[in-house]
Structures are given as structure tokens and as C-alpha cells.
Amino acid sequence: MVARVVVVGAGYAGVMAANRLADGRLRTDDALVCPHHRRIVGVGDAVAPPAHVGAHLRMSCQAALPMGAHGADTVLAMIRGQQPTSVSIGMTGQAISLGRRDGFIQAAHRDDTPAAFALSGRAAAVVKERVCRFTITSMRFPRAYRWLPGATPSVPVPTPVATR
């Protein structure tokens, strides 16, 4: 069977053994491509991009959605023979629901350091609900999904594109 692109939602022990960090995450380059297996693109909580582009990315939906979208852009660039760009994801804050009527939101700078603004109580719960609804809406209309760039600018990755 021949395929141009295969998307797998799992890990492979052989690939992971040579390319993982101590915490078990897959090591990637700036564009989320595995350095030793240039045809593998990793996204989400299971990957560890270099610190200069990903040190501020915590395990969260806020990081995973744009990382998935960037991973798709990387795959498309590689198929077209183009150079993929570096991942650049800016954070906006942390939100915690405390039931349906209470919550807490801490605003953050793009590098995920806390900002001076925080919101609590019913207003925070309403904002958190809106964030969840936006997430569902963005999955329905993936081409319209946008995110804040991170603290580092998006520039082409200097490594060569894998070819068949």
C-alpha cells in the first residue's frame, strides 16, 4: 500500500527510543519534525520542541490546538517541497472552572508569565465557558482557526525537507 501522508495517533517504540527525552516526550525541531526521522511530525502534549520556541508551552488545550494546526501546515509544506516554518504559539492565560458557577482566570503574557489581570467568581466561569465553546467552534471551522504568535518570531527552519 502506498500513501502520500499517513496520520497516526500513537507512538512507535523504535522511533521513540532514539528520539525521546527523559520524560518520554518526542524530541522535535522548530517545525515539529523529528530530527532523526524527517518524515515524522509530532504535535500535542507528547512532543518537546526546542526550548527557544516551546519552553513556555504547558500541557493544555491552549497549546495543543495551535500545535496541531501548525503540524498540519508542516506536513503540507513538506508535501509541497517547501521549507516549514518554526512553530510560534503565544499563551493568553490559565482558566479553572470551579463548578458551573465559579471559576478563576489568570491572564498571562505570550510567554506564559502571569500578567497583572485576574478574574474570579461567576464572571470567570462565564469566560471559561466561552473559551470552551470557542474551542468546539474552531474544530468545526479549522481553516478559520488563528492563534497569537509566541515570543519568538516565526522563521524558516534551517534543516532540509524530507523527500521520498
Side-chain angles (χ1 to χ4, degrees):
M1 182 184 273
V2 177
R4 287 189 63 151
V5 177
V6 177
V7 178
V8 179
Y12 291 99
V15 171
M16 292 297 287
N19 298 289
R20 71 177 175 197
L21 301 175
D23 63 3
R25 295 181 300 154
L26 178 68
R27 181 181 294 120
T28 66
D29 66 11
D30 295 8
L32 304 177
V33 177
C34 180
H36 296 95
H37 297 277
R38 302 297 306 163
R39 298 179 85 171
I40 296 176
V41 177
V43 297
D45 297 344
V47 302
H52 67 277
V53 295
H56 68 289
L57 299 177
R58 59 187 147 74
M59 292 184 180
S60 65
C61 181
Q62 186 178 174
L65 281 173
M67 196 180 291
H70 185 82
D73 290 342
T74 294
V75 169
L76 291 173
M78 292 170 71
I79 289 170
R80 294 177 183 134
Q82 300 169 341
Q83 193 75 353
T85 59
S86 293
V87 66
S88 181
I89 300 170
M91 304 301 265
T92 58
Q94 293 188 27
I96 300 169
S97 291
L98 304 169
R100 300 285 298 167
R101 292 183 162 68
D102 204 6
F104 181 79
I105 295 176
Q106 172 65 58
H109 300 287
R110 291 183 186 186
D111 64 356
D112 207 29
T113 56
F117 179 77
L119 190 63
S120 63
R122 178 71 179 145
V126 169
V127 171
K128 171 70 172 162
E129 178 64 25
R130 294 284 181 205
V131 168
C132 292
R133 287 178 190 232
F134 171 77
T135 301
I136 300 299
T137 301
S138 68
M139 288 189 288
R140 288 185 188 147
F141 305 101
R143 291 183 181 213
Y145 183 70
R146 300 290 181 264
W147 61 91
L148 289 174
T152 57
S154 202
V155 296
V157 178
T159 53
V161 176
T163 58
R164 187 172 179 188

